[in-house]
């Protein structure tokens, strides 16, 4: 089963530097959308400047990171993990947020870091961080993608719980 979680990024420069370390990934396992890996801070800030000018506000750059990890039993290759991460980012963010997808291969557990700009560059609105979007939709899009590739997904019981918090998700994976 895949685990997917989302969190705020406090320092974009540090998280990008961490995610792209050469001993953790390779160049072919790094994909960007509407930004460049070498100027991602400037690219995110350009969108922020446009947002601030339009809204007459003074917000600071804000981004989030999704971590998508795969079940070892599915034997997902690094190239497949990268493909799934990019497809997930496209589906979840609807190609309306700048993003970076990096597949980490330094450990036995292949996983993706998907770092994205909180500002939707088409609507100039901030990412909807309500539980429905940042938890339910996140898990739904990930599960739908994995099922499409016949990979393991966490089976939900028929209780009133629509989706699980990350802690519940991790505990249920372990049975």
């Amino acid at each position: 089963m895949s685990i997917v979680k989302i969190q705020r990024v406090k320092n974009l420069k540090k998280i990008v530097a961490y995610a792209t370390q050469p001993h953790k990934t390779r160049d072919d396992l790094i994909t960007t959308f509407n930004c460049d890996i070498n100027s991602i801070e400037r690219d995110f800030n350009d969108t922020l400047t446009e947002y601030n000018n339009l809204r007459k506000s003074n917000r600071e750059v804000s981004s989030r990171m999704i971590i998508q990890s795969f079940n070892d039993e599915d034997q997902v290759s690094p190239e497949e993990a990268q493909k799934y991460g990019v497809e997930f980012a496209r589906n979840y963010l609807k190609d309306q947020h700048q993003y970076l997808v990096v597949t980490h291969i330094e450990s036995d557990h292949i996983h993706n870091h998907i770092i994205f700009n909180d500002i939707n560059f088409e609507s100039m609105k901030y990412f909807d961080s309500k539980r429905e979007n940042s938890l339910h939709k996140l898990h739904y899009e990930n599960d739908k993608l994995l099922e499409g590739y016949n990979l393991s997904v966490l089976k939900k019981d028929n209780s009133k719980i629509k989706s699980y918090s990350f802690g519940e998700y991790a505990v249920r994976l372990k049975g």
Side-chain angles (χ1 to χ4, degrees):
M1 282 132 293
S2 168
I3 295 179
V4 63
K5 66 179 180 174
I6 190 170
Q7 60 196 44
R8 283 193 157 280
V9 170
K10 293 181 182 173
N11 186 316
L12 181 61
K13 184 176 184 173
K14 283 184 181 178
I15 202 70
V16 170
Y18 167 79
T20 59
Q21 292 177 77
H23 73 281
K24 293 184 176 291
T25 191
R26 304 185 311 244
D27 287 345
D28 64 315
L29 300 176
I30 298 173
T31 302
T32 59
F33 174 74
N34 206 22
C35 59
D36 185 272
I37 188 67
N38 298 312
S39 61
I40 193 166
E41 281 185 283
R42 185 181 69 225
D43 296 339
F44 279 29
N45 273 315
D46 287 348
T47 302
L48 173 67
T49 299
E50 187 177 342
Y51 173 90
N52 281 335
N53 288 340
L54 182 68
R55 305 268 188 222
K56 297 186 180 5
S57 66
N58 194 23
R59 286 198 159 187
E60 294 183 17
V61 71
S62 179
S63 53
R64 295 179 191 270
M65 179 174 63
I66 297 167
I67 299 174
Q68 177 189 41
S69 60
F70 302 94
N71 186 342
D72 295 337
E73 293 175 11
D74 285 330
Q75 298 180 352
V76 173
S77 72
E79 294 78 15
E80 289 170 326
Q82 178 68 14
K83 174 185 169 185
Y84 303 152
V86 170
E87 189 173 336
F88 172 78
R90 290 191 76 196
N91 294 342
Y92 184 64
L93 300 170
K94 308 291 186 212
D95 281 346
Q96 296 173 350
H97 294 262
Q98 298 157 300
Y99 62 79
L100 163 70
V101 179
V102 181
T103 301
H104 278 194
I105 56 173
E106 85 284 6
S107 69
D108 293 338
H109 200 71
I110 292 176
H111 61 281
N112 291 323
H113 291 261
I114 303 167
I115 302 162
F116 68 95
N117 192 340
D118 267 345
I119 300 172
N120 177 320
F121 61 80
E122 289 190 2
S123 68
M124 285 293 135
K125 292 183 179 178
Y126 255 74
F127 176 75
D128 178 6
S129 62
K130 287 184 243 159
R131 185 175 176 96
E132 179 63 35
N133 193 46
S134 64
L135 184 60
H136 303 304
K137 186 177 174 195
L138 182 77
H139 290 166
Y140 170 78
E141 288 294 341
N142 189 61
D143 290 352
K144 184 172 81 171
L145 174 82
L146 296 177
E147 285 172 346
Y149 288 102
N150 295 315
L151 298 174
S152 305
V153 295
L154 179 64
K155 299 291 183 215
K156 296 176 186 76
D157 58 27
N158 291 329
S159 69
K160 295 179 182 177
I161 299 172
K162 292 181 183 176
S163 192
Y164 306 117
S165 70
F166 177 72
E168 292 168 318
Y169 205 67
V171 167
R172 287 179 180 269
L173 283 175
K174 294 177 182 175

